[in-house]
Amino acid sequence: MKKPITLIFLIILALNSFSQDIDIYQKKKNSNYELPYLNSQTSFEEFQLLNRTLRLQDMAYAAVVPGYVHFKVKEPIVGYSMVALRTAGYGGILYILNDGSFSLTELINNSPSSSADVDKFNQQKTIAYASLGLIFSTYLFDWIHGKHRLEKKQERIRYKYGVKLNLAVQTDQSGNFNQPMLGVRVNF
């Protein structure tokens, strides 16, 4: 009885999925052909930042490439810091694997062999936990902080040009269109 229900669920899921990459939402807009309104003072870097979004596939890329999100957000110093820290984490794991005294599963499960040196076991266990913690924490920091920085940069750019748009020259709103008038309106 469970197999037909599972099959029906998978068919419905497949029919409703329109994604071309790893995504959980449907993208209906084709931004490759849509030409947005641009302020003449907008720089190319600001335009790039406004068009960047972080999606599920970027989360997968960030797991493989250290600092990926920060490089995408145009913060290379933080990105290279993520590369260095994650490389240090991988170095700790490689040190334990090269030493060969204990396997990684022995260290994580806290179950050394009976003839093991307790001090060396505790030292390598500390290195293993620190290395794994460093790898996962740099990934989470890269994703969460990078997403936060992208949103903040986009907000600053929108605010900057939104204020300029509100300061644009406007005509009189009183309904008297016989006399040409200019005015400036400032919104707070």
Side-chain angles (χ1 to χ4, degrees):
M1 183 69 180
K2 287 186 177 183
K3 288 184 182 181
I5 292 173
T6 306
L7 183 63
I8 291 171
F9 175 74
L10 289 175
I11 290 172
I12 291 172
L13 182 67
L15 291 175
N16 290 328
S17 298
F18 296 104
S19 183
Q20 297 176 6
D21 53 14
I22 304 171
D23 244 338
I24 56 174
Y25 60 89
Q26 185 177 355
K27 186 177 178 185
K28 295 185 179 194
K29 181 178 102 172
N30 189 348
S31 59
N32 293 332
Y33 298 109
E34 184 177 304
L35 297 175
Y37 165 76
L38 287 177
N39 190 318
S40 61
Q41 297 172 345
T42 305
S43 68
F44 182 67
E45 184 175 322
E46 291 173 333
F47 179 74
Q48 280 183 322
L49 285 172
L50 281 175
N51 285 324
R52 297 222 166 137
T53 57
L54 292 177
R55 297 164 49 177
L56 196 57
Q57 75 181 26
D58 294 319
M59 186 182 251
Y61 293 157
V64 176
V65 180
Y68 174 80
V69 176
H70 281 87
F71 288 122
K72 191 171 182 176
V73 176
K74 298 197 179 278
E75 291 190 352
I77 293 172
V78 180
Y80 285 121
S81 300
M82 296 290 105
V83 171
L85 288 171
R86 201 174 305 173
T87 302
Y90 290 142
I93 299 295
L94 286 175
Y95 168 75
I96 291 170
L97 294 175
N98 261 355
D99 185 74
S101 300
F102 306 100
S103 71
L104 200 55
T105 55
E106 282 179 329
L107 294 170
I108 292 173
N109 293 333
N110 202 16
S111 59
S113 58
S114 60
S115 63
D117 182 16
V118 176
D119 290 335
K120 187 171 187 175
F121 178 78
N122 288 334
Q123 176 191 17
Q124 288 200 0
K125 183 174 77 168
T126 303
I127 293 172
Y129 281 135
S131 297
L132 290 173
L134 191 59
I135 291 168
F136 288 118
S137 64
T138 55
Y139 167 70
L140 291 175
F141 178 81
D142 188 29
W143 178 254
I144 295 169
H145 184 259
K147 185 170 176 58
H148 171 73
R149 294 296 299 155
L150 178 63
E151 290 171 356
K152 287 295 179 189
K153 284 184 175 187
Q154 289 174 338
E155 285 175 1
R156 280 193 201 109
I157 294 168
R158 285 189 204 107
Y159 177 77
K160 175 182 170 183
Y161 293 111
V163 168
K164 288 182 181 183
L165 185 64
N166 283 337
L167 291 175
V169 177
Q170 297 179 355
T171 59
D172 183 24
Q173 300 294 327
S174 65
N176 187 2
F177 297 110
N178 294 332
Q179 300 171 353
M181 299 176 77
L182 294 176
V184 175
R185 184 175 72 176
V186 179
N187 294 333
F188 292 102

